[in-house]
Amino acid sequence: MSHDELCESLLTWVQTFNLEANPETVDELTDGVALSQILCQIAPNFFNAGWYGRIKKEVGDNWRIRVSNLKKVLEGVLDFYNDVLGQQIRDFKHPDVSKIAERRDLAEMGRLLQLVLGCAVNCEHKEEYINVIMGMEESVQHAVMNAIQELMSKEMP
Amino acid sequence: MDAGKPGATNEGVLANFFNSLLSKKSGPG
C-alpha cells in the first residue's frame, strides 16, 4: 500500500470522529490539532484537559508550532502505549514530525496516523471504534487492517 | 500466487480480523 493510500484511508477514519473542524485533506492534519482532539476522545483520562491545553490551536502557516504540536501528539501516543497499554512499539520507525510539519511528508504522516489508530483499537472503549471501522467501506477497512497488523507485529509487552 | 483467490480480501477476512481485535484483552496484563 502506498503512503498516499494509507493516509487517505486513515483520513477517512479520522473523519468518523466528531471534531471541531472536520479535516477534508491529509494536509489539514499536519498541525496536530485534529489528532489531539481524537486522542482526547479515545482516552480522556490520559489525554486530559491539561494535556490538550498545551496544544496550540491557532497554527496558521507557522511550521514551528506545527512541530511543537506534533511532538506533543507523538510523545503522548508513545506514553499511552507504555503507561496505559503496557506495550512498546519495537522496530516501528517513529514518525519524523519535522518532516510532517515542514513538507507534509505523507510517509511520516501515515506512520503517525497508524500510531493514533493503534491507540483507538487498543483503548478501553475500543469496541466503539472497531465497530465504526467495521461499518466503513471495504477498501478502507482493508487499509486499516493492514495498518493495525503492521503495528501489532512490532508490539512487545 | 494468491491474486484473484476468492475470499482473500472479502468481508469474512475483515470481520474475522476485527472480531479477533474485539476479543483481545485491552491494557497491560
Side-chain angles (χ1 to χ4, degrees), chain A residues 82-96:
Chain A
N82 279 322
D83 301 348
V84 180
L85 303 179
Q87 291 170 3
Q88 284 195 331
I89 309 289
R90 292 184 21 142
D91 304 326
F92 183 82
K93 190 171 172 265
H94 290 179
D96 183 334

Side-chain angles (χ1 to χ4, degrees), chain A residues 69-107:
Chain A
N69 279 355
L70 291 168
K71 270 186 185 166
K72 291 182 183 96
V73 166
L74 178 60
E75 283 165 11
V77 165
L78 295 175
D79 287 346
F80 182 77
Y81 272 91
N82 279 322
D83 301 348
V84 180
L85 303 179
Q87 291 170 3
Q88 284 195 331
I89 309 289
R90 292 184 21 142
D91 304 326
F92 183 82
K93 190 171 172 265
H94 290 179
D96 183 334
V97 294
S98 304
K99 287 184 183 169
I100 299 174
E102 286 173 37
R103 54 174 198 247
R104 274 92 162 165
D105 189 298
L106 288 180

Side-chain angles (χ1 to χ4, degrees), chain A residues 11 73 86 125 150:
Chain A
L11 172 67
V73 166
H125 306 292
E150 191 196 354

Side-chain angles (χ1 to χ4, degrees), chain B residues 1-9:
Chain B
M1 189 176 169
D2 281 345
K5 183 179 167 185
T9 60

Side-chain angles (χ1 to χ4, degrees), chain A residues 107-126:
Chain A
E108 306 299 330
M109 189 71 220
R111 270 198 282 276
L112 182 59
L113 284 167
Q114 224 174 329
L115 288 172
V116 175
L117 170 69
C119 293
V121 299
N122 283 295
C123 75
E124 200 180 347
H125 306 292
K126 64 181 182 182

Side-chain angles (χ1 to χ4, degrees), chain A residues 35 58 72 85 112 132 154:
Chain A
L35 295 181
E58 303 298 324
K72 291 182 183 96
L85 303 179
L112 182 59
V132 168
K154 320 279 185 189

